Amino acid sequence: MPSIYARRIGMLASAAALASLAALVNAPTAQAAPPAPISAAAARAYLATVTPKAEGSSSGYSRDLFPHWITQSGTCNTREVVLKRDGVNVVQDSSCAAVSGSWYSEYDGATWTAASDLDIDHMVPLAEAWRSGANSWTTAKRQQFANDLTRPQLIAVTDNVNQAKGDKDPAAWLPSRTAYRCTYVRMWVNVKQYWGLNIDSAEKTALTNVLNGC
């Protein structure tokens, strides 16, 4: 009788091991995403210290004042680095252009197999940054901001979704995929905090409302 129980325990252990292995095989690629943002608790704590400041003017703004898609290494520019990072099984040619792969757009839940269907979104848009304090930065600092791979500032998403977002802050635009909204606002707060950018009243309210549900 004990040997029967032992065999049953062994079979259960083997089944559990197989299940664990299957879960690992079927799990999404560990990277395939921007750097992890600060926690919801940390974002809420930071917002609690923020005194809202009205947005400045867009006067004088130009994307050219934020030099972006600079060379990161070899022939790879920032866009290609993000496409490689955020995709699965991405193959690049000798010029570092992504010629195949698969990309899941967190904003809308769409999956794409052509890099041309993707934009690299600046989490905090360049024009929004300009109105929030970047207008007083040097061009060199704006270049660092526009190509920031260390913070969760860049993400590959469906091109027309990124275009619909434009330069809107979370008071005017949030991802249609509600499951990603907590992550999105954590990313937004992380970037604004690190770069010392202002947050206006409506923006702070929108961020707080989402974070309170995280």
Side-chain angles (χ1 to χ4, degrees), residues 38 43 46-47 185-193 207 211:
I38 59 175
Y46 173 68
L47 284 178
V185 298
R186 287 163 51 209
M187 293 165 76
W188 183 282
V189 174
N190 195 161
V191 172
K192 282 229 162 173
Q193 177 186 31
L207 291 167
L211 286 167

Side-chain angles (χ1 to χ4, degrees), residues 4-16:
I4 293 174
Y5 287 134
R7 284 199 299 274
R8 285 179 178 170
I9 292 170
M11 289 170 66
L12 287 171
S14 297

Side-chain angles (χ1 to χ4, degrees), residues 23-49:
L24 286 172
V25 170
N26 295 322
T29 304
Q31 183 59 15
I38 59 175
S39 68
R44 283 193 295 267
Y46 173 68
L47 284 178
T49 71

Side-chain angles (χ1 to χ4, degrees), residues 3-200:
S3 62
I4 293 174
Y5 287 134
R7 284 199 299 274
R8 285 179 178 170
I9 292 170
M11 289 170 66
L12 287 171
S14 297
L18 285 171
S20 297
L21 180 59
L24 286 172
V25 170
N26 295 322
T29 304
Q31 183 59 15
I38 59 175
S39 68
R44 283 193 295 267
Y46 173 68
L47 284 178
T49 71
V50 169
T51 299
K53 185 172 181 179
E55 276 195 354
S57 169
S58 293
S59 178
Y61 168 72
S62 167
R63 287 179 67 85
D64 293 340
L65 295 172
F66 292 79
H68 52 288
W69 307 167
I70 62 172
T71 300
Q72 293 291 341
S73 64
T75 59
C76 299
N77 66 22
T78 307
R79 172 181 165 84
E80 299 301 346
V81 170
V82 175
L83 285 172
K84 175 73 171 178
R85 182 198 69 191
D86 290 2
V88 176
N89 298 324
V90 177
V91 176
Q92 296 172 308
D93 64 17
S94 59
S95 299
C96 206
V99 294
S100 65
S102 176
W103 292 268
Y104 178 77
S105 172
E106 294 284 6
Y107 290 1
D108 58 332
T111 298
W112 304 98
T113 56
S116 58
D117 289 319
L118 298 145
D119 277 355
I120 307 304
D121 179 40
H122 287 96
M123 171 57 54
V124 174
L126 305 182
E128 161 70 17
W130 177 269
R131 297 190 298 265
S132 302
N135 61 319
S136 66
W137 294 352
T138 63
T139 301
K141 185 173 180 179
R142 287 192 289 263
Q143 175 176 295
Q144 292 172 349
F145 173 80
N147 296 276
D148 187 0
L149 294 166
T150 305
R151 264 64 53 182
Q153 163 66 343
L154 301 170
I155 182 172
V157 295
T158 303
D159 52 5
N160 60 356
V161 172
N162 179 52
Q163 289 152 27
K165 171 184 171 179
D167 63 355
K168 301 179 183 74
D169 69 26
W173 191 92
L174 288 166
S176 62
R177 184 169 161 259
T178 55
Y180 197 66
R181 288 183 178 178
C182 278
T183 302
Y184 183 86
V185 298
R186 287 163 51 209
M187 293 165 76
W188 183 282
V189 174
N190 195 161
V191 172
K192 282 229 162 173
Q193 177 186 31
Y194 178 83
W195 288 98
L197 292 167
N198 301 326
I199 294 175
D200 67 40

